[in-house]
Amino acid sequence: MNLANKLTFLRVILSPVFFIIYLLPNFFPSWFINGAGWTVPALWLIFIVSEITDLLDGIAARKYNASSDFGKLFDPFADTLMQLTCFLCFVMDGVFPAILFLLVIYREFSVLFLRNLMLKKGATLGASMGGKIKTVTYIIAGGAALLTVSLQRLALFKFLIPYFRIGALVIFIVSVIISAASFINYVLIYMKTPGTSKQRNTDAQSYIQEKGQ
């Protein structure tokens, strides 16, 4: 656990914390927690810190030459965990539609499956440029949705909330389209990656055994 991976691990910890704080107003009477307004700065703090650590872990890995196969997989895992946590909260609040969230889940699990297949080939499937662009659009969509929820909880600019909802939804739709395109790119990368000699020998033996049976 070098510095870069420790920063990444912080995002893993912050994900359930974000979820708990987001849902507290739904599980406790308003008189007990003094309304939902207090959750707004807490949620923004977690959201911003998680994105800052996402930036810093890459800088730390390059500065200290600490890039590793583990880090290449751990970083997108932490990103996905935080993003799915935020999106689930926004779906529960009706900001994002469940169908789009389901598409995001399908995409992320499919990429996870591809990463496992790449490991079988003796290679690591890190974040591609398309994946990084997807992450940026996820962050923008999450920020727009969190802004919408913040206005609702603080009861500010109520006349603008419907427009913020539409804006967040449009950004989210664009991010889902980009995520689908990046997944296709990952598939192409996998198809173009040759397997190791060990894997080819193992596959040949499995094929012979299947034919023999």
Side-chain angles (χ1 to χ4, degrees):
M1 290 294 288
N2 52 45
L3 177 59
N5 291 334
K6 288 178 181 179
L7 291 171
T8 302
F9 184 66
L10 180 59
R11 292 204 301 285
V12 175
I13 297 176
L14 289 177
S15 297
V17 176
F18 184 95
F19 184 78
I20 292 172
I21 293 178
Y22 192 98
L23 291 182
L24 276 177
N26 297 335
F27 290 101
F28 292 93
S30 59
W31 59 266
F32 182 76
I33 62 173
N34 194 27
W38 70 272
T39 63
V40 172
L43 292 173
W44 275 107
L45 178 62
I46 296 173
F47 185 81
I48 293 173
V49 169
S50 67
E51 302 310 329
I52 291 177
T53 58
D54 188 19
L55 176 65
L56 293 180
D57 61 10
I59 295 176
R62 290 188 294 270
K63 180 178 180 180
Y64 297 105
N65 195 24
S67 180
S68 63
D69 289 342
F70 174 78
K72 292 177 182 178
L73 296 177
F74 193 36
D75 180 62
F77 166 76
D79 290 343
T80 300
L81 200 64
M82 174 57 75
Q83 291 158 0
L84 292 181
T85 300
C86 294
F87 291 165
L88 176 60
C89 293
F90 301 143
V91 168
M92 295 174 68
D93 252 353
V95 181
F96 291 159
I99 183 63
L100 292 181
F101 177 64
L102 188 61
L103 292 176
V104 170
I105 292 179
Y106 286 167
R107 185 266 182 197
E108 298 303 332
F109 274 95
S110 297
V111 171
L112 177 62
F113 178 67
L114 278 180
R115 286 197 167 104
N116 288 328
L117 292 179
M118 285 289 284
L119 289 176
K120 184 180 178 183
K121 286 189 173 186
T124 303
L125 184 63
S128 66
M129 181 56 65
K132 293 178 180 179
I133 295 175
K134 178 269 302 183
T135 299
V136 172
T137 58
Y138 275 5
I139 294 173
I140 297 174
L146 184 56
L147 178 59
T148 302
V149 173
S150 299
L151 293 177
Q152 291 176 343
R153 295 190 174 190
L154 295 174
L156 297 174
F157 306 106
K158 294 183 179 180
F159 66 97
L160 290 177
I161 292 177
Y163 300 102
F164 279 105
R165 277 180 170 270
I166 295 174
L169 177 58
V170 170
I171 298 172
F172 189 49
I173 292 174
V174 172
S175 69
V176 172
I177 294 173
I178 293 176
S179 69
S182 67
F183 171 70
I184 295 175
N185 183 54
Y186 281 129
V187 173
L188 295 176
I189 293 175
Y190 168 76
M191 294 175 63
K192 294 178 181 179
T193 302
T196 62
S197 58
K198 180 179 179 181
Q199 184 225 353
R200 287 193 292 270
N201 292 334
T202 301
D203 291 344
Q205 292 175 2
S206 299
Y207 177 78
I208 294 173
Q209 291 175 358
E210 290 175 2
K211 289 301 181 180
Q213 294 174 355

